[in-house]
Amino acid sequence: MKLNKTFLAVAAAFPLLSSAVMADTVSSADLKERVFGSLFGEYYMPDLDKTESAEWNYMEKDWGYGVELGYYLTEQWALRLEFAKLDLQSKLDGSDADGNRIGLDAMYHISQLPSVYLVGGLKRFDAVQDTTAFNVGIGYKHFFNQNFALFAEANRYQGIDETYADAGVKVGLTYVFGSATAAPAPKPAPAPAPVAPVQPVAPADTDADGVVDSADKCANTPANHKVDATGCTVYEEKMASVGDIDIEVRFPFDSATIPADKISDVEGLGAFMQRFPESTVLIEGHASNIGNPDYNMRLSERRANSVADMLKKDFNIDPSRITAIGYGVTRPRVEGNTRAAHRANQRIEAKVTAKIKEPVLR
């Protein structure tokens, strides 16, 4: 096996090249855990035996090109995949002796010379013959900024299943994706502990409502109540249903006059609406399921209106606050055709809505 003299010359020149080029602005720590890709051109030099062998089609030295994709594992170690196109010709008649090279490399960056790296890997060739080789080499990479760098690299390719020792010199451009992780900012020196000022004694607030006792007019307000500046619960008013009032009025036949013994029920409703001037009422008239349904519907409307008229006349309730509707026999309280069912269904119901006050909660 013969090692090409050109390879030896390039390898020997790398340390000189690294000292002659301006120092990089990127450190090994900046490259850690980042992906990189490269494009390169290569001058490929087959073993002398290949250039003189018909089995290798008298393969001549020539140019190639390729791409790389890699990842910096640590500050020293990186892995890369390589694909190269070797555009070779026969020295004998100029016919094609080209092929491809694909493989995986490990790269080790020297701590004392971070721009210089050693490389070794395994390659597969299909130039004239399909063969496998391992390679060792040395490279130099110069960064212009956090992302772009030029590199040069020399490799020896030692055949495994065939006896040969090829060499190649690559020159290319590398792009490193992303950006370096910024170093954490140094922690500032701790400031001297301030002298704690003398705290004045806070005024007492016994019920913990945020209003001091001297200004609190409502002591012991519930803890979940919102309070005003005087410490009293803040209320909100809203219209809400406050319940139904059943007025069981049984009218004489074909009569809508309220019996005397039931007038007190209507009076209680009127007094409530006078006390709460924003309240409203829905008066529902109902009838028992005896006789003609149409007649019962009209009868229930007259009975509901008789209660509404009493509220307007005797208690001066504004008509806009009263709604009277007759439902006839459509909404029985008790199903059936018994005397008890008829008595229960012959009724007036009042549904009252009034403004109520509720505490505002914190």
Side-chain angles (χ1 to χ4, degrees):
M1 296 183 290
K2 303 178 180 64
L3 181 62
N4 189 283
K5 293 182 180 180
T6 305
F7 169 77
L8 293 174
V10 174
F14 264 98
L16 299 177
L17 180 62
S18 65
S19 62
V21 182
M22 180 175 27
D24 285 342
T25 59
V26 179
S27 68
S28 299
D30 294 331
L31 301 176
K32 182 181 177 181
E33 297 180 352
R34 294 174 67 186
V35 176
F36 66 91
S38 303
L39 298 175
F40 63 86
E42 180 179 19
Y43 186 66
Y44 195 76
M45 296 163 281
D47 189 299
L48 183 61
D49 289 344
K50 288 186 177 182
T51 65
E52 298 177 352
S53 171
E55 293 181 358
W56 293 98
N57 197 18
Y58 303 100
M59 186 181 293
E60 178 64 294
K61 303 172 185 177
D62 213 332
W63 292 94
Y65 53 90
V67 295
E68 299 172 350
L69 181 65
Y71 181 72
Y72 289 98
L73 299 169
T74 67
E75 294 184 16
Q76 275 73 47
W77 288 98
L79 290 177
R80 76 179 182 195
L81 292 170
E82 178 204 61
F83 174 80
K85 178 68 176 179
L86 303 177
D87 192 12
L88 307 177
Q89 294 182 339
S90 172
K91 183 172 65 174
L92 182 63
D93 56 10
S95 60
D96 285 340
D98 57 7
N100 301 321
R101 180 182 74 239
I102 188 169
L104 175 68
D105 289 316
M107 304 166 67
Y108 178 77
H109 297 77
I110 301 173
S111 300
Q112 294 78 7
L113 298 171
S115 295
V116 179
Y117 60 89
L118 303 177
V119 62
L122 192 66
K123 299 293 189 294
R124 183 67 177 172
F125 292 82
D126 62 3
V128 181
Q129 298 187 40
D130 293 340
T131 62
T132 303
F134 67 85
N135 62 287
V136 292
I138 186 170
Y140 176 85
K141 189 172 291 186
H142 179 76
F143 280 87
F144 297 101
N145 54 39
Q146 286 282 338
N147 299 102
F148 286 97
L150 285 175
F151 75 96
E153 181 180 311
N155 277 280
R156 172 184 173 177
Y157 301 95
Q158 180 65 54
I160 297 176
D161 47 4
E162 295 288 342
T163 302
Y164 60 82
D166 296 352
V169 178
K170 299 193 295 187
V171 177
L173 178 66
T174 293
Y175 180 80
V176 182
F177 295 89
S179 59
T181 303
K187 294 183 180 179
V195 178
V198 177
Q199 297 293 333
V201 178
D205 179 11
T206 305
D207 55 5
D209 61 359
V211 179
V212 298
D213 290 349
S214 60
D216 198 337
K217 296 182 180 180
C218 299
N220 301 318
T221 52
N224 64 336
H225 281 199
K226 185 177 180 180
V227 298
D228 57 19
T230 63
C232 297
T233 297
V234 176
Y235 290 91
E236 63 176 355
E237 296 182 343
K238 61 182 181 180
M239 298 297 292
S241 176
V242 297
D244 299 343
I245 300 176
D246 287 351
I247 304 176
E248 297 183 358
V249 180
R250 288 179 294 170
F251 295 89
F253 177 74
D254 199 23
S255 173
T257 302
I258 303 172
D261 61 342
K262 294 299 180 181
I263 290 179
S264 59
D265 291 350
V266 182
E267 289 176 340
L269 174 60
F272 178 88
M273 297 190 72
Q274 285 182 328
R275 181 182 176 189
F276 298 96
E278 296 188 17
S279 61
T280 61
V281 65
L282 171 63
I283 300 171
E284 298 180 351
H286 301 272
S288 59
N289 192 13
I290 300 177
N292 185 279
D294 293 337
Y295 175 81
N296 287 334
M297 179 66 72
R298 293 190 296 273
L299 179 61
S300 66
E301 291 173 354
R302 293 200 308 272
R303 290 170 175 173
N305 286 328
S306 67
V307 175
D309 291 342
M310 182 175 174
L311 294 175
K312 298 172 189 176
K313 178 180 177 182
D314 297 351
F315 297 92
N316 198 29
I317 305 301
D318 191 284
S320 63
R321 298 171 56 195
I322 304 171
T323 303
I325 300 177
Y327 288 104
V329 299
T330 61
R331 296 187 179 182
R333 173 179 289 177
V334 178
E335 298 289 346
N337 197 27
T338 64
R339 181 185 297 272
H342 295 323
R343 289 174 62 85
N345 292 332
Q346 188 171 328
R347 70 196 188 281
I348 294 291
E349 290 184 5
K351 299 183 183 295
V352 181
T353 300
K355 179 177 284 189
I356 59 174
K357 293 172 60 177
E358 291 185 346
V360 179
L361 302 182
R362 294 181 184 273

